Amino acid sequence: QVQLLESGGGLVQPGGSLRLSCAASGSIFRVIAMGWYRQAPGKQRELVATINAGHATNYADSVKGRFTISRDNAQNTVYLRMNSLKPEDTAVYFCNLRGYTTVREWDDYWGQGTQVTVSS
């Protein structure tokens, strides 16, 4: 099994910054990509940012220029640096790992989520 442990959420004022971390452990044969998604109350879960094994990144338009995703391949850890936070960034942020557990079998794995609240 694969486990994802997230940390770094909290309460921050508008314009502030936070850094989320997610460490993966367990039986991972090969990681395809890691990323962050978020879900605000009453809304569907949406992509925030992803990074693949080659460090290619993808961002939601709403966070481009403000958020930066990075990854430590050796540690199977992914980070999300969030700057210039806005109240609309308030959500539960979920870490995702897409990877192979065998040569042929792959799956999506999710963390338990960490709350980010942007409010004055």
Side-chain angles (χ1 to χ4, degrees):
Q1 286 295 329
V2 175
Q3 295 84 38
L4 302 177
L5 181 61
E6 301 144 331
S7 61
L11 172 64
V12 64
Q13 292 186 343
S17 298
L18 283 175
R19 190 178 87 149
L20 305 183
S21 300
C22 173
S25 61
S27 301
I28 306 167
F29 179 72
R30 181 168 64 89
V31 176
I32 299 169
M34 297 183 74
W36 292 92
Y37 292 70
R38 67 186 181 188
Q39 188 167 16
K43 295 187 177 181
Q44 290 188 334
R45 189 173 298 187
E46 63 178 4
L47 179 146
V48 177
T50 61
I51 184 167
N52 66 17
H55 292 262
T57 58
N58 179 48
Y59 294 93
D61 287 343
S62 59
V63 307
K64 283 180 181 177
R66 300 188 298 122
F67 291 11
T68 302
I69 190 169
S70 59
R71 180 175 164 184
D72 182 337
N73 283 350
Q75 300 294 326
N76 276 337
T77 301
V78 65
Y79 306 95
L80 185 69
R81 177 68 179 181
M82 304 184 292
N83 295 329
S84 303
L85 282 161
K86 304 175 181 180
E88 51 263 43
D89 293 318
T90 296
V92 178
Y93 283 69
F94 296 90
C95 178
N96 169 265
L97 182 151
R98 175 168 290 183
Y100 286 89
T101 52
T102 68
V103 174
R104 297 183 180 183
E105 296 177 339
W106 66 270
D107 207 342
D108 279 308
Y109 301 91
W110 296 91
Q112 79 285 355
T114 184
Q115 177 70 46
V116 171
T117 302
V118 184
S119 175
S120 55

